[in-house]
Amino acid sequence: MGEEAAAHGKENRSAAVERVLWIVLLLNMAVAAAKFFFGLASGSTSMRADGIHSFFDGFGNVVGIIALAMASRPADKSHPYGHAKFETYGSLIIGVLLLAAAFEVGSTAVQKLVTGNYTAQVSVLSFVVMVGTLAVNIAVTCYERNRGKRYRSEILVADASHTLSDAFVSLGVIAGLVLVKLGFPAADPVMALVVTAAILATAFGVFRTALRTLSDHSRISSDAIARAASSVADVSNVHQVRTRGTEGEVYCDLHIEVDPDMTVFRAHALAEEVEAAVKREFPSVIEVLVHVEPLGDEGAGERAIEGESPRRP
């Protein structure tokens, strides 16, 4: 019954995350079209580059939807721990898209500076388009990041960072347009370079988060897990606590020490109580592997692996 509830909860989470990605995709495409085509018409390098970056945002949403579909598949013989890390792989692809966007924006800006070909034409409509799309970007970022934290979704958090980088681009473009209007035409590509640095910083954050998952970085404090396990009666000591996995699906294993005279039946029941206590305290934990050892013999687990028999105190 517990496994069925967990599976149902996972399906609901996946559906909710996918719904967010579709909403953000539609908004990103509308924003991208507005900036790209107006930038093309006005000759603004930074505005056109901003539109290209927004198109990358939309492509990132598509990547997220595909990765989520793969991550939501149930565990099978080839992937006994499930497919959750496909969501992490999706966030890595979004990081790569950020690098591609930075290259596109940066290379175009450098070309303009080298050739001295400043073509931006600033009008009131330019500011209306940029301020309007900036407002949409900020709203989308807040919405997506909020949902990402709520559903513990790496793909949503990564994509929100991607959308935030688009807001940085828009701010840079607006500043550049103001300077161009004041008589500094080189400001357009210069601000595009500043924005390139902001995009690269965002990409670094996305890669760092994804690599923490792929490198099995600890997800929850060992002390916090130990306190939850120790709250169960008859657990004398807790040690060798480890956690890994994605933010939304954490796997945990730990060792508990119990009375050496405890029956196997009672020890098994106690292990299940510990598992329930940890899951109750940390809803993101989907599996807890409990190793039972006799009190005062912390090395029993290691000796069992080496083929030795645990010693009775």
Side-chain angles (χ1 to χ4, degrees):
M1 192 69 178
E3 293 181 0
E4 290 181 5
H8 182 65
K10 185 175 180 179
E11 288 177 4
N12 288 340
R13 172 185 174 276
S14 297
V17 173
E18 183 177 352
R19 184 165 55 251
V20 172
L21 286 172
W22 277 111
I23 292 173
V24 173
L25 171 61
L26 294 175
L27 291 172
N28 279 337
M29 288 296 97
V31 165
K35 289 187 287 192
F36 179 80
F37 289 112
F38 192 83
L40 205 61
S42 65
S44 172
T45 303
S46 57
M47 190 180 292
R48 185 174 63 84
D50 193 4
I52 292 173
H53 182 224
S54 293
F55 276 119
F56 274 109
D57 278 342
F59 187 61
N61 298 142
V62 174
V63 169
I65 291 170
I66 295 173
L68 186 65
M70 299 177 70
S72 61
R73 290 184 299 174
D76 53 33
K77 186 175 181 181
S78 299
H79 298 84
Y81 287 98
H83 300 77
K85 283 188 177 179
F86 279 99
E87 188 173 333
T88 306
Y89 296 139
S91 67
L92 281 177
I93 294 175
I94 290 176
V96 172
L97 291 176
L98 282 168
L99 294 180
F103 176 78
E104 171 63 27
V105 174
S107 60
T108 302
V110 169
Q111 183 182 19
K112 291 285 184 180
L113 288 171
V114 170
T115 61
N117 182 23
Y118 310 129
T119 58
Q121 299 176 4
V122 182
S123 65
V124 174
L125 189 55
S126 301
F127 289 104
V128 171
V129 171
M130 290 309 305
V131 171
T133 55
L134 174 61
V136 173
N137 282 334
I138 293 175
V140 168
T141 298
C142 294
Y143 168 70
E144 194 170 17
R145 179 160 292 172
N146 177 272
R147 291 298 184 271
K149 291 180 178 179
R150 178 178 177 180
Y151 301 128
R152 297 178 178 272
S153 170
E154 289 186 8
I155 199 74
L156 284 184
V157 173
D159 197 51
S161 297
H162 197 180
T163 306
L164 180 61
S165 74
D166 200 21
F168 287 147
V169 173
S170 296
L171 284 171
V173 172
I174 292 172
L177 293 178
V178 170
L179 292 173
V180 170
K181 191 69 174 177
L182 292 175
F184 301 96
D188 185 43
V190 168
M191 290 310 300
L193 286 179
V194 173
V195 165
T196 298
I199 297 174
L200 289 173
T202 303
F204 173 76
V206 171
F207 283 125
R208 181 178 59 184
T209 299
L211 292 176
R212 282 168 65 92
T213 296
L214 296 178
S215 63
D216 284 339
H217 189 280
S218 177
R219 277 294 174 189
I220 302 174
S221 165
S222 297
D223 290 339
I225 294 284
R227 282 194 295 272
S230 297
S231 68
V232 177
D234 294 332
V235 173
S236 301
N237 186 33
V238 181
H239 59 100
Q240 289 186 234
V241 179
R242 300 185 299 180
T243 57
R244 64 180 180 85
T246 66
E247 188 176 353
E249 293 187 10
V250 179
Y251 290 85
C252 171
D253 62 83
L254 54 87
H255 292 223
I256 62 172
E257 292 184 57
V258 302
D259 184 343
D261 295 321
M262 182 177 291
T263 65
V264 173
F265 183 83
R266 173 55 187 151
H268 174 71
L270 187 62
E272 291 188 333
E273 290 176 31
V274 169
E275 179 179 5
V278 171
K279 287 183 176 180
R280 187 166 53 249
E281 184 71 21
F282 304 99
S284 60
V285 175
I286 63 171
E287 182 178 301
V288 183
L289 181 61
V290 182
H291 300 263
V292 181
E293 299 174 357
L295 178 61
D297 196 10
E298 293 189 10
E302 288 83 348
R303 289 197 303 278
I305 294 175
E306 297 172 358
E308 299 180 21
S309 299
R311 295 187 298 271
R312 288 285 297 274

